[in-house]
Amino acid sequence: MEANIEIRRLLDVMPASGRMTTKIVSKPEQSQVIDAAFPLPWGQDRPIYINFDLWGRLTKPQRDLLLLQKVAWLTGVRWFKPDIYQGVALAGLLGALVESAQSDFVGVAVGVGLSAIALTRIWRVNKSSESQLNADLAAIKVAQRRGYSETEAAQHLLTAIAAVAKIEGNSSLDFIDLIRCQNLRAIAGLSPIGVPDSSDF
């Protein structure tokens, strides 16, 4: 597969928000078909690494949905949004700065500790199964704007997860991928049982 041609095609598949924040990078030495590092707050670009030799073993619809899911997950990671954990992190940092100006080392330790706890929680939320399920749903919505039906998009993403595991030599799916597959089966009409909305795994 010609990487540059496929990258241009994938850029057309991506939503505009994804083209602004993510970057597709050819990485033939990696063992994963597609991979992306967890985006850090100070990172400008959010690269998606693809091994195009392995990528070419997937069907075009599978490739489309895998890319859309990865883009949705990356753009869905929000370090700076107004919620309780970001508020606690900011308050802890501000408290640490104030206490350090007053040479109160206990206050500094408490402030830094609060910030660390809040940042760890933000990290865990963005790495959870819920964030992956949300990315799946976002990918399916974008795919519908690209000519796929909801059922087709769910089926293609479902088969892509299994195909990637096989290509990468994984004998079984991990816990999060099993949850994703069950949810995608329900969306595709292949199973009456989905994942409850209120689940927090």
Side-chain angles (χ1 to χ4, degrees):
M1 171 175 286
E2 176 55 47
N4 290 330
I5 294 172
E6 178 68 355
I7 287 172
R8 283 196 296 272
R9 189 189 75 77
L10 293 173
L11 287 172
D12 288 336
V13 172
M14 289 167 61
S17 60
R19 286 193 291 271
M20 290 189 303
T21 56
T22 62
K23 179 181 177 184
I24 300 172
V25 179
S26 175
K27 195 171 180 183
E29 67 274 15
Q30 77 179 13
S31 59
Q32 297 100 331
V33 176
I34 183 171
D35 192 29
F38 186 82
L40 297 171
W42 52 84
Q44 293 288 328
D45 289 330
R46 298 184 175 194
I48 297 172
Y49 301 103
I50 297 177
N51 180 331
F52 284 99
D53 293 332
L54 303 177
W55 186 251
R57 299 186 196 176
L58 300 167
T59 66
K60 182 168 133 332
Q62 287 174 336
R63 298 195 306 261
D64 289 351
L65 268 297
L66 275 178
L67 178 80
L68 290 174
Q69 196 276 344
K70 195 63 75 178
V71 168
W73 176 73
L74 283 171
T75 57
V77 174
R78 299 271 193 269
W79 280 98
F80 305 107
K81 64 179 181 180
D83 75 8
I84 186 68
Y85 297 109
Q86 279 81 358
V88 170
L90 183 58
L93 288 175
L94 290 175
L97 289 173
V98 169
E99 297 300 332
S100 67
Q102 297 175 358
S103 299
D104 181 355
F105 297 109
V106 174
V108 171
V110 170
V112 170
L114 275 175
S115 293
I117 290 168
L119 291 172
T120 301
R121 174 64 181 162
I122 295 167
W123 175 281
R124 287 182 62 204
V125 165
N126 286 309
K127 296 279 280 185
S128 69
S129 60
E130 187 177 355
S131 71
Q132 293 292 335
L133 291 171
N134 290 339
D136 290 346
L137 296 176
I140 289 169
K141 284 182 183 175
V142 175
Q144 288 178 275
R145 297 198 296 268
R146 301 294 185 265
Y148 295 97
S149 71
E150 182 182 41
T151 301
E152 288 172 338
Q155 287 175 342
H156 292 311
L157 186 51
L158 177 63
T159 59
I161 292 169
V164 165
K166 186 175 180 182
I167 291 168
E168 293 178 355
N170 299 326
S171 57
S172 61
L173 298 175
D174 65 23
F175 179 69
I176 291 177
D177 283 341
L178 288 172
I179 292 170
R180 291 175 62 206
C181 286
Q182 184 57 45
N183 197 50
L184 290 168
R185 282 189 198 94
I187 295 169
L190 303 174
S191 171
I193 303 168
V195 177
D197 292 337
S198 59
S199 289
D200 186 14
F201 301 98

